[in-house]
Amino acid sequence: MTEPRAAQRGKGWSAGRNSSQWSRFDYKEVGKGRETAFQPAFESSANLAMAEGRVQSLHYSIGLLGIASGSLLLAVYSYSFTSPAPLIPSTTLGVLLFVISALLAYAGVQKSLRSAPLFKSLCLTISVLWCSYGVIHILAGQGVLNGIDDFRNAVVPGLATFTLGLLIIGVVGILQRELILAMVASCISLACAHEIAMLYNTAFGSSAVACNYMIVCFIVGYFAVGRGLYFLSKEKITLPGTDLAKSKTNEQVQANGANTNDLAVIGLILNMLSASVFGCRLLGVTSNLFVGQVPWLWAAGIYQIGVCIFSYRALDTLAATFFGFTSVLKFAGGYSLLYRIWQQDEPVFPVPFLVVFAILFAVLGLFITIKSLVDGLYLLFYVAYCIALACRPHGFFEGGPQGVDVAIFVASALMALIYQYNMKASAKIPTGEGTVQALLSRSSHLKLREGKDLHAPYLGYSKYADAEVLGFACSVLASFAITITVDPRAPLATIVIPWVVVAGGILKLLCGSVAFARGKTLESSAFILYGVMWIIWGLARYGGLYGTSRGFQVAVGIIALMLVNCFIVFCTLFLSISWFIYSLTFLLILISFLLDAVNAIPAGYDIAVTIIFGLASFYCFLSALFNSTFEGSHFPVGRPIMKLSGTGGGNTKCLHLPARKASSVKQIAEIMKNGGACGIPTDTVYVLVAACNRPDAVEKAYKTKRQAQDRPMSLWISSLKQLEPTKHLFNPMLWEFMVAAWPSPISLVVPRGKWVDFLGMKDSAKYVGTSQSIAIRIPDCSVTTHLIDLVGPIAVTSANPTGEADTTHHNQVYAKLGDKVDAVLCDGPSPENIASTVVDCTKIESGNIGFFRVGIVPKSQVLQILEQVQRKHMQGHTNGSIAMAGQKKQQHLSHAISNGIHAASPEESTLTSFTNSVFSADEEGAKL
């Protein structure tokens, strides 16, 4: 016969407390209230979507209002341009435009606008324009630029670039029905074109420039009125072109298809900008190259480093490396135009460096061709550019490189148009994407790396792609840049500083920061140390600060850096052979710096060691590039020379899974169901957990961290429904307090009772709580509660050996506990640096609570919750209702006995009043 459903359920709970019974409990009991339990989650998701919509609208508004503000300033300035006393002085205008450009950059790079590529392109493009244009006006206001001719030569190359760049954005905006953005871009493009015409022909007048900027103000005013009506009417009135929600869905569909690099268009426009400065000189648009054009080049270099960073965020290593390379060229071009400050003759460029730079561009172009044929062909222009610079002694000032600049300008404009259009278009312009991949798929020797974890770091996850390719390439550039011999009496006559300081220093620091974000502490330390060294030595030796004097002070500083590098060399013994050789050869570089500082360097020694270090760096560059693109080890890095026998020695069996993926949480749950102990993130710090229904796992977790006897493990649940069958065993006020306090970072120490047997811990129950009390909590963390939903109640302890600081990052879990942990659920830095607040509730029926530890939640907040519970409890219990509560308690016990959940003791079956409950008032709670 079929048993009654209640009897089956009771039998399932009492007969076995394993993972299958927990699954049955989760389905039948909690599942009844699943719809209700998840309703707040749905509501919170809707609220979150509304909040994101408001934030996106805010960023749109900030960007467009910033554009309107700058346009109004330029309109006023243009109207009074020909007057003897302009309404806005040049210096004031420059400072205001510089501030507005920073505001536009903020609006353009916001994370919430990841699905608005056209708006990002517009904001960042105008930000670069006004940043450079503002600095030029500051130079004009301070008398650096002499007359209208210098001003024209300074601003025309940039205005020509942004005339075409903004026109491209406007055309794409029209094709994609982004009319507001298209009209703004087109008007500013026309304003730039009219200003160029005005500078070459004063009869043209400045009214056309001012009118274009005023039109921009009117367009933004229309947008502001539309957004105001939209919110005031509660989304009932929407003016055409001002509804951000309508286009948001389509944009998100496009964005979810692939992880695209939205800022690649900005990088291409910046390439147009630097090429325009030198190309205009060749075409006769400008009469000379001078300091007034430096703001365009250096602004392009700074913004391109930002594009490099965001390319790493888009997990596009090759694009990030390319934009890092081109930023070096822009800084070098701007630096070379400053030569008249210290000399009259044009500077000389180092030939070996430029040849090596061409080789790096060629190798990078081959790998980018795998992604897209058009992108690979585009890089050939930069290969030709570096060769042209190497063939001419004065580099940027020669006609050959300037001719290649013109070609780069045209190619970059076409690439920007293709990229901008393909970001949202359903019918894309073909770029040869996937052609080389199809050919390589037939090869048995080269197999591309693919999969969702292509950019996953060794431990956990990271928001950035690996930057070792750029880091090693920068070492190659810096080492070959110093192979040229310079006159110590005139070190600035040769262009060396930008190659060493920017490539070897600034970009090296960037690579070190990215490596640190990926959990590569040793590699990060090496890159940062070497970057600092290249900056110091480049400025001191090749910047004129060092001169011809030699002193012991410089030697002391170099010795200090040598000692730090010796430690890095020792640590690389445990990393790989290639890293050991890389750091060891840099030590030879430092020795050459030391010998030069004491004026005892042998002839040719410095050139020899720089070539050795450059070749070692080039091999590491190829190894990182090949091994990140293809499977296998085509350029092996070698195994560690030495291995540790303890934590971190050899390959770890501990899995590191990203918490943002539901599949990772499910995998952690399976490990815990099979008896594993795992480190997981919470709403406070990282913790070590085990499933309560696996006694072996609880004991393992307890012994893993060498738990002290006075610090037992605590109990976590995802919902009070998991303890619903034992509700009658809890004090009513305690139960109401738990309902009011959770989920939160508040751990409640409750009296121990027979309800603990329901958890199935058996002999391992002695490790959770004390003989008299147990700390229990519902964490305010969706990842953690979802995991508990899959596993059941869990036993928890901090993920650190007893007596050490709390663990605040997933990498620290493995570092502190080693292979004793079966898996780590990685979520980056913890949201808090302190643990939960622990409240003693063993005497709550008398209205008294204590505090074992005050953590995130202050005492006042806990006491406020208790006061609310007491007030509610007193309102619902009169003297007559107290006796009735005892009768209901007796009925609950009888019902529980009939279902086979719990056999009540005689003392429990004779409960008659609230004060004489399961846990007596004088029961003494144990300390945690």
Side-chain angles (χ1 to χ4, degrees):
M1 293 180 62
T2 304
E3 294 179 301
R5 182 174 301 178
Q8 289 179 354
R9 188 164 59 243
K11 182 178 179 180
W13 292 343
S14 59
R17 296 179 174 97
N18 50 33
S19 59
S20 61
Q21 267 90 24
W22 271 113
S23 300
R24 183 154 61 244
F25 161 78
D26 198 33
Y27 175 78
K28 292 186 177 180
E29 291 298 319
V30 180
K32 291 181 179 180
R34 183 69 65 188
E35 183 175 352
T36 303
F38 279 126
Q39 190 65 29
F42 292 144
E43 293 176 357
S44 61
S45 299
N47 294 334
L48 181 61
M50 293 177 61
E52 289 181 351
R54 294 191 188 98
V55 171
Q56 185 171 18
S57 177
L58 175 63
H59 293 150
Y60 263 90
S61 301
I62 289 175
L64 291 178
L65 289 177
I67 294 173
S69 302
S71 299
L72 183 60
L73 287 173
L74 291 171
V76 174
Y77 178 80
S78 299
Y79 271 121
S80 61
F81 180 77
T82 57
S83 62
L87 295 177
I88 304 177
S90 292
T91 303
T92 304
L93 177 65
V95 172
L96 292 175
L97 288 178
F98 189 83
V99 173
I100 293 174
S101 69
L103 185 66
L104 291 177
Y106 163 79
V109 301
Q110 280 303 300
K111 185 178 180 181
S112 63
L113 299 178
R114 58 186 178 272
S115 60
L118 192 68
F119 180 80
K120 294 167 71 171
S121 299
L122 177 63
C123 284
L124 292 175
T125 301
I126 298 176
S127 176
V128 180
L129 168 61
W130 287 349
C131 174
S132 309
Y133 192 64
V135 174
I136 292 175
H137 271 282
I138 293 175
L139 296 178
Q142 298 301 313
V144 178
L145 304 181
N146 299 319
I148 189 64
D149 291 337
D150 276 358
F151 184 77
R152 180 177 60 247
N153 288 330
V155 301
V156 165
L159 294 178
T161 299
F162 291 105
T163 297
L164 182 56
L166 290 170
L167 181 61
I168 291 173
I169 295 175
V171 170
V172 174
I174 293 174
L175 295 176
Q176 296 177 351
R177 299 180 181 179
E178 295 282 354
L179 298 182
I180 297 290
L181 302 181
M183 293 175 66
V184 170
S186 301
C187 288
I188 297 180
S189 174
L190 290 175
C192 293
H194 288 153
E195 186 170 356
I196 294 174
M198 178 190 67
L199 291 172
Y200 281 97
N201 187 358
T202 56
F204 188 82
S206 59
S207 299
V209 179
C211 288
N212 282 303
Y213 283 123
M214 287 305 299
I215 293 174
V216 173
C217 296
F218 290 139
I219 294 172
V220 176
Y222 168 80
F223 176 83
V225 171
R227 296 307 297 169
L229 291 175
Y230 181 80
F231 285 108
L232 292 176
S233 64
K234 297 182 179 180
E235 305 181 2
K236 294 180 180 179
I237 301 177
T238 303
L239 296 181
T242 62
D243 187 6
L244 302 180
K246 183 177 294 184
S247 60
K248 184 178 178 180
T249 303
N250 295 331
E251 290 173 349
Q252 286 182 340
V253 171
Q254 294 291 337
N256 292 335
N259 193 8
T260 58
N261 187 358
D262 293 342
L263 296 185
V265 176
I266 304 301
L268 294 169
I269 293 177
L270 295 174
N271 290 341
M272 293 172 56
L273 179 58
S274 59
S276 176
V277 171
F278 298 105
C280 285
R281 176 67 187 90
L282 177 69
L283 298 176
V285 178
T286 56
S287 58
N288 64 335
L289 297 172
F290 71 120
V291 66
Q293 295 151 350
V294 172
W296 298 117
L297 294 170
W298 280 4
I302 293 172
Y303 276 79
Q304 200 142 53
I305 288 179
V307 173
C308 174
I309 296 172
F310 281 95
S311 296
Y312 281 121
R313 285 292 297 267
L315 303 181
D316 194 347
T317 302
L318 298 179
T321 305
F322 168 69
F323 289 127
F325 284 174
T326 54
S327 68
V328 176
L329 292 174
K330 292 171 177 57
F331 281 109
Y335 173 80
S336 64
L337 298 187
L338 300 175
Y339 74 96
R340 291 190 183 277
I341 297 177
W342 55 80
Q343 66 185 34
Q344 293 298 321
D345 297 331
E346 294 176 349
V348 180
F349 286 74
V351 175
F353 167 83
L354 294 169
V355 173
V356 171
F357 211 170
I359 295 174
L360 293 179
F361 266 117
V363 174
L364 184 63
L366 290 176
F367 283 86
I368 289 183
T369 304
I370 299 174
K371 176 184 176 182
S372 170
L373 282 175
V374 173
D375 292 343
L377 294 175
Y378 176 67
L379 258 70
L380 292 180
F381 287 95
Y382 280 92
V383 176
Y385 189 52
C386 292
I387 294 175
L389 290 172
C391 292
R392 308 301 299 177
H394 298 293
F396 296 113
F397 300 91
E398 301 280 355
Q402 291 173 2
V404 181
D405 274 313
V406 175
I408 290 176
F409 181 88
V410 177
S412 300
L414 292 175
M415 291 292 294
L417 175 61
I418 293 173
Y419 263 79
Q420 189 68 71
Y421 179 79
N422 286 349
M423 281 186 184
K424 287 182 60 179
S426 56
K428 302 181 182 299
I429 300 175
T431 60
E433 185 175 354
T435 303
V436 178
Q437 292 181 359
L439 295 175
L440 290 176
S441 63
R442 304 175 184 176
S443 174
S444 58
H445 301 287
L446 296 176
K447 186 177 180 181
L448 292 172
R449 287 186 178 273
E450 296 177 347
K452 57 184 180 180
D453 297 327
L454 177 62
H455 299 281
Y458 176 65
L459 296 178
Y461 79 94
S462 175
K463 297 178 181 179
Y464 298 87
D466 202 341
E468 285 192 358
V469 175
L470 181 59
F472 291 127
C474 290
S475 295
V476 177
L477 294 176
S479 60
F480 279 96
I482 63 175
T483 55
I484 188 171
T485 303
V486 299
D487 186 357
R489 293 169 297 181
L492 298 178
T494 305
I495 300 297
V496 178
I497 287 182
W499 316 124
V500 177
V501 174
V502 178
I506 297 175
L507 290 181
K508 205 71 173 237
L509 294 177
L510 168 63
C511 297
S513 301
V514 174
F516 182 80
R518 291 178 59 83
K520 294 185 174 182
T521 306
L522 177 58
E523 295 90 329
S524 172
S525 302
F527 282 149
I528 291 176
L529 173 67
Y530 299 167
V532 171
M533 188 62 206
W534 284 121
I535 292 175
I536 295 174
W537 186 252
L539 293 176
R541 180 68 179 84
Y542 302 98
L545 302 179
Y546 200 32
T548 58
S549 62
R550 298 293 184 268
F552 182 71
Q553 295 85 352
V554 178
V556 171
I558 296 175
I559 291 174
L561 292 174
M562 288 178 62
L563 294 176
V564 178
N565 189 66
C566 288
F567 175 74
I568 292 178
V569 172
F570 172 75
C571 293
T572 55
L573 293 172
F574 306 93
L575 187 59
S576 65
I577 295 177
S578 61
W579 260 99
F580 173 73
I581 296 176
Y582 173 72
S583 59
L584 184 63
T585 52
F586 187 79
L587 185 61
L588 299 178
I589 295 282
L590 293 176
I591 293 175
S592 71
F593 293 166
L594 178 61
L595 295 176
D596 183 73
V598 297
N599 203 18
I601 185 170
Y605 173 80
D606 54 344
I607 297 178
V609 296
T610 52
I611 293 176
I612 293 174
F613 176 70
L615 293 176
S617 301
F618 184 71
Y619 179 86
C620 293
F621 164 75
L622 292 177
S623 176
L625 199 55
F626 264 89
N627 295 335
S628 63
T629 306
F630 300 104
E631 294 183 356
S633 182
H634 301 281
F635 283 82
V637 297
R639 295 183 177 182
I641 299 176
M642 300 175 62
K643 291 185 178 181
L644 294 173
S645 59
T647 301
N651 295 325
T652 174
K653 297 180 181 179
C654 178
L655 294 177
H656 286 73
L657 305 171
R660 61 179 63 185
K661 297 181 179 180
S663 58
S664 300
V665 180
K666 184 177 180 181
Q667 191 171 352
I668 291 288
E670 291 299 323
I671 294 174
M672 293 177 63
K673 289 178 182 179
N674 293 326
C678 302
I680 65 170
T682 68
D683 51 345
T684 53
V685 295
Y686 278 80
V687 295
L688 183 65
V689 300
C692 285
N693 50 31
R694 289 301 302 257
D696 54 335
V698 177
E699 184 176 1
K700 175 183 177 182
Y702 183 87
K703 295 181 178 180
T704 293
K705 68 161 292 183
R706 304 187 298 275
Q707 191 81 357
Q709 295 297 323
D710 59 341
R711 294 188 180 182
M713 302 177 73
S714 59
L715 172 69
W716 285 12
I717 57 178
S718 62
S719 171
L720 280 174
K721 288 187 176 295
Q722 290 184 324
L723 295 178
E724 189 74 27
T726 64
K727 179 179 179 181
H728 60 282
L729 299 178
F730 287 88
N731 185 281
M733 183 178 289
L734 174 59
W735 188 270
E736 293 178 11
F737 188 56
M738 290 191 293
V739 172
W742 292 333
S744 68
I746 301 176
S747 296
L748 303 183
V749 179
V750 303
R752 196 182 189 99
K754 293 187 177 181
W755 60 271
V756 177
D757 298 335
F758 169 78
L759 302 177
M761 290 186 290
K762 299 181 180 179
D763 294 339
S764 62
K766 60 185 178 181
Y767 301 116
V768 181
T770 67
S771 60
Q772 296 178 326
S773 62
I774 291 181
I776 186 171
R777 182 159 85 91
I778 298 179
D780 191 13
C781 177
S782 58
V783 173
T784 310
T785 53
H786 178 53
L787 178 64
I788 301 174
D789 279 336
L790 298 175
V791 178
I794 57 176
V796 181
T797 184
S798 57
N800 55 274
T802 303
E804 294 189 7
D806 291 323
T807 302
T808 57
H809 195 278
H810 58 255
N811 287 343
Q812 298 177 5
V813 177
Y814 179 73
K816 292 182 177 182
L817 300 179
D819 289 330
K820 297 177 181 179
V821 182
D822 296 293
V824 178
L825 193 60
C826 306
D827 195 28
S830 60
E832 302 290 345
N833 294 325
I834 55 177
S836 62
T837 298
V838 182
V839 182
D840 181 9
C841 298
T842 55
K843 298 182 180 180
I844 194 173
E845 66 272 10
S846 61
N848 297 322
I849 61 172
F851 291 85
F852 289 122
R853 179 181 64 208
V854 178
I856 300 175
V857 182
K859 287 184 178 181
S860 58
Q861 184 175 341
V862 178
L863 294 175
Q864 185 178 4
I865 296 173
L866 177 62
E867 183 180 355
Q868 294 174 355
V869 171
Q870 288 177 332
R871 188 183 301 113
K872 180 180 177 181
H873 193 75
M874 294 301 296
Q875 290 176 353
H877 288 77
T878 61
N879 293 332
S881 62
I882 293 177
M884 187 176 296
Q887 297 175 4
K888 290 184 177 181
K889 180 69 70 174
Q890 180 68 28
Q891 294 174 2
H892 280 302
L893 290 175
S894 301
H895 178 70
I897 294 172
S898 64
N899 285 335
I901 299 174
H902 172 70
S905 63
E907 292 79 9
E908 290 171 342
S909 61
T910 58
L911 291 175
T912 57
S913 66
F914 171 73
T915 56
N916 191 22
S917 60
V918 177
F919 308 115
S920 61
D922 58 348
E923 183 175 355
E924 193 173 328
K927 293 184 179 180
L928 287 179

